[in-house]
Amino acid sequence: MEIVPSYQDKKFGSMVRAALWLVSVVGEGNIFTKNQLREAFPDVAQIDRRARDLRDHGWRIDTSRDDPTLLQQEQRFVTRGADVWIPGKSKAPKHKASLTAAQRSKVFQDDNHLCRSCGVGAGETYEEGGIELSKLNVSRRKVLHSDGTEEFQLVTECKRCGTGGGADREIDLGAFLELVENLSPMERRLFAKWMDADQRSFSPIEKTWGIYRTLPQESRDAVAGAIEDMDD
């Protein structure tokens, strides 16, 4: 059995102590609650935030947003990342460095204050209705270039799209440029117009298909039956 330092050793910072508690008390794959975490560290304010900081070091901790089988107060310690209690291991990667207000403002402006994943604007409701209003954040997206190099670029994303690892998506820019190159000249001109407008309109059949894909199986069967009746 692996021996790790005690999570009660106060010579370590609160994030490191949270990591040690997860390893020695919870164990990978197991569930814990925020109350259990707070009870283990009564002397640490915002210990749940310090535990979330472990995600910057490769640790995966799922909430009910990531795993629908979890209750709202539950979290799952999925996988362990860097051994942050070892000197030199607790430094966050360069691309995880905090952004300044000016940097965030520039990203929002460059992206027209729209989520680049779903297109929702700041404070808008989502297309399916409801009372939830969107909140925009800045995410870091790994971009793979044609020459094999990679970098992290900043992009606007709403909180909903960024949940569940959304921020960990990779973009193969070289492969995407090949798709663009394979378009016909007319298609590239149309695509360029969409790029200039930073939006595109959907035809009625495309809107219908988009809604259909979200339906449960029973509803899809009902639609199929209704279309057969329409064609009779």
Side-chain angles (χ1 to χ4, degrees):
M1 181 178 179
E2 180 185 13
I3 298 176
V4 298
S6 171
Y7 70 88
Q8 296 176 328
D9 191 338
K10 295 185 179 181
K11 77 177 180 183
F12 296 113
S14 53
M15 183 190 73
V16 172
R17 291 177 63 195
L20 291 169
W21 180 77
L22 288 171
V23 170
S24 60
V25 177
V26 179
E28 287 186 69
N30 294 322
I31 294 173
F32 66 96
T33 66
K34 288 184 178 180
N35 284 338
Q36 289 173 327
L37 177 61
R38 292 167 183 169
E39 288 171 0
F41 300 94
D43 57 320
V44 180
Q46 298 183 324
I47 185 61
D48 46 339
R49 179 175 294 183
R50 302 288 80 79
R52 289 198 301 269
D53 289 342
L54 288 167
R55 292 169 176 163
D56 290 344
H57 303 273
W59 293 60
R60 180 178 167 187
I61 303 170
D62 283 357
T63 66
S64 57
R65 285 180 175 270
D66 308 307
D67 183 348
T69 67
L70 295 174
L71 300 177
Q72 186 174 2
Q73 69 271 24
E74 292 179 332
Q75 299 185 48
R76 189 189 303 278
F77 171 30
V78 182
T79 53
R80 168 175 158 182
D83 294 341
V84 292
W85 52 88
I86 297 176
K89 295 282 189 176
S90 61
K91 186 176 180 181
K94 184 178 180 181
H95 71 271
K96 294 288 187 177
S98 298
L99 299 177
T100 65
Q103 287 176 310
R104 292 173 60 84
S105 178
K106 184 179 186 305
V107 175
F108 289 151
Q109 184 175 354
D110 289 344
D111 290 338
N112 293 324
H113 297 273
L114 298 174
C115 171
R116 306 312 295 186
S117 294
C118 72
V120 72
E124 294 181 348
T125 56
Y126 292 91
E127 286 188 358
E128 67 271 20
I131 61 174
E132 181 185 3
L133 299 181
S134 65
K135 181 179 179 181
L136 299 183
N137 296 316
V138 175
S139 296
R140 294 168 172 85
R141 192 67 49 80
K142 181 187 286 188
V143 177
L144 307 178
H145 292 284
S146 303
D147 60 2
T149 60
E150 61 182 46
E151 67 172 325
F152 285 86
Q153 298 179 355
L154 302 177
V155 65
T156 303
E157 196 166 47
C158 72
K159 184 176 180 181
R160 178 186 287 190
C161 290
T163 300
D168 294 328
R169 297 190 188 102
E170 290 186 0
I171 301 297
D172 189 332
L173 188 58
F176 177 73
L177 291 175
E178 287 184 11
L179 291 175
V180 174
E181 186 177 2
N182 290 333
L183 295 175
S184 69
M186 184 176 68
E187 289 172 328
R188 279 199 296 273
R189 286 194 294 272
L190 178 59
F191 183 62
K193 289 182 179 179
W194 292 345
M195 290 171 56
D196 289 340
D198 199 24
Q199 64 179 348
R200 60 155 296 193
S201 58
F202 291 92
S203 67
I205 191 171
E206 288 174 315
K207 292 180 180 178
T208 305
W209 173 251
I211 297 172
Y212 170 78
R213 290 190 62 189
T214 69
L215 299 177
Q217 180 62 53
E218 292 88 347
S219 295
R220 297 200 303 272
D221 290 342
V223 172
I227 289 178
E228 290 180 0
D229 293 339
M230 294 174 192
D231 291 337
D232 287 343

